[in-house]
Amino acid sequence: MPARDDAPTAAFFDLDKTIIASSSALAFSRPFLQQGLINRRAALKSAYAQLLFALSGADADRTERLRAEISRMCAGWDVSQVKAIVGETLHDVVAPLVYAEAAEAIERHKAEGRDVIVLSATGEEVVRPIAEMLGIGHSMGSRMEIVDGRYSGKVDFYCYGEYKAIAARDIAAERGYDLADCHAYTDSSTDLPLLEAVGHPHVVNPDRALRRIALERGWPVHAYAKPVSPRARIPSASTAVAVGLGVSAVAAGATLFGLSRRRRKDPPATV
């Protein structure tokens, strides 16, 4: 049902495996390797970590270990160099990964009068340009501390798990949303707090744990399967808006692009 003019509402979207068909950080692996931010040894180590993450699901312990590795490897990266790489390659490496079904859902919510907001554990500086590329004006991602123009290795805010739900509550309080009237979309059981915070939870290509919960609670389960560049459906914003990659960037050390394509797929979801 369309949102009422006097009652602002929102649709919150996760990014990786919900709006795009892979890891947003993984998409930048090749240019990061080419520009010398990572070496092949680090790339292979990160590729293995990403593969395990994709195959086994995103449970809290595994994700925390991955976050710690990301923070360690990002330490010392020149933010201006990362900024340039993301800005130059954003449309080439990310746009082809966008699910057509996600783009359609985003446009539908906008047409019905809802604000669309991206919430992602990926670095805030890469989440924002991807959101703007999709015509989404509001987003929030993880924030890494910057000291003297370089990532320190400390994470100031990790937009993950319960903290993602807290971010949604803070945004709702600031903008006057009643979360009972809001929607949320995600693929991961680690985002259960966000799904439980809204009145209209949706799961997209869910992991096994989230699929089970969705079926038990009668939540809609969506199968997104058609990555397509949004250039054909949404006007492209300037890539100049791209800024530093942030906390999840180093996961892009997985240089073997085929790994994300070869990951095990769950049985087809019901819609």
Side-chain angles (χ1 to χ4, degrees):
M1 179 179 296
R4 300 191 311 273
D5 291 341
D6 61 345
T9 63
F12 298 95
F13 281 78
D14 178 39
L15 180 60
D16 296 351
K17 301 185 187 177
T18 302
I19 293 178
I20 65 174
S22 184
S23 162
S24 51
L26 176 63
F28 290 97
S29 57
R30 183 172 296 171
F32 269 50
L33 180 64
Q34 291 172 340
Q35 295 297 319
L37 280 178
I38 55 175
N39 58 32
R40 291 188 178 277
R41 181 177 179 181
L44 290 172
K45 184 175 182 180
S46 291
Y48 182 64
Q50 274 292 98
L51 181 60
L52 290 180
F53 187 80
L55 290 176
S56 305
D59 65 75
D61 289 342
R62 184 174 294 107
T63 302
E64 177 57 28
R65 290 196 300 271
L66 184 58
R67 183 205 63 79
E69 179 69 9
I70 287 168
S71 300
R72 183 188 69 79
M73 294 184 69
C74 273
W77 282 15
D78 186 303
V79 176
S80 63
Q81 183 183 10
V82 174
K83 184 185 301 187
I85 294 171
V86 174
E88 292 166 3
T89 62
L90 176 67
H91 285 276
D92 290 337
V93 302
V94 176
L97 299 174
V98 175
Y99 282 121
E101 298 94 338
E104 290 165 1
I106 288 166
E107 291 306 300
R108 182 174 65 253
H109 281 296
K110 289 165 64 177
E112 292 175 348
R114 296 185 188 89
D115 294 336
V116 176
I117 300 170
V118 177
L119 296 177
S120 175
T122 299
E124 187 174 68
E125 300 86 354
V126 76
V127 173
R128 188 181 303 115
I130 292 176
E132 293 188 2
M133 180 182 70
L134 292 166
I136 300 170
H138 307 297
S139 64
M140 181 177 291
S142 297
R143 296 190 301 271
M144 179 169 278
E145 180 185 69
I146 298 172
V147 177
D148 296 329
R150 295 180 180 273
Y151 295 118
S152 71
K154 281 183 60 177
V155 178
D156 282 338
F157 173 68
Y158 194 28
C159 192
Y160 167 81
E162 179 61 30
Y163 293 105
K164 190 178 287 189
I166 290 171
R169 293 189 188 100
D170 288 346
I171 293 170
E174 177 184 339
R175 297 182 179 161
Y177 306 141
D178 182 346
L179 285 176
D181 294 328
C182 292
H183 298 246
Y185 293 73
T186 185
D187 70 293
S188 175
S189 56
T190 61
D191 286 337
L192 185 60
L194 173 63
L195 294 172
E196 292 177 333
V198 301
H200 303 281
H202 302 255
V203 301
V204 177
N205 300 342
D207 60 34
R208 288 180 176 177
L210 184 57
R211 181 186 298 276
R212 182 177 64 252
I213 293 169
L215 293 177
E216 289 173 352
R217 301 187 185 184
W219 292 348
V221 179
H222 305 279
Y224 289 0
K226 297 184 291 185
V228 62
S229 172
R231 288 179 176 177
R233 80 178 60 240
I234 300 174
S236 296
S238 170
T239 57
V241 299
V243 288
L245 187 58
V247 64
S248 289
V250 77
T255 61
L256 307 179
F257 283 89
L259 287 176
S260 64
R261 298 176 184 269
R262 299 204 311 261
R263 67 182 185 276
R264 178 189 53 75
K265 298 180 186 254
D266 285 329
T270 59
V271 179

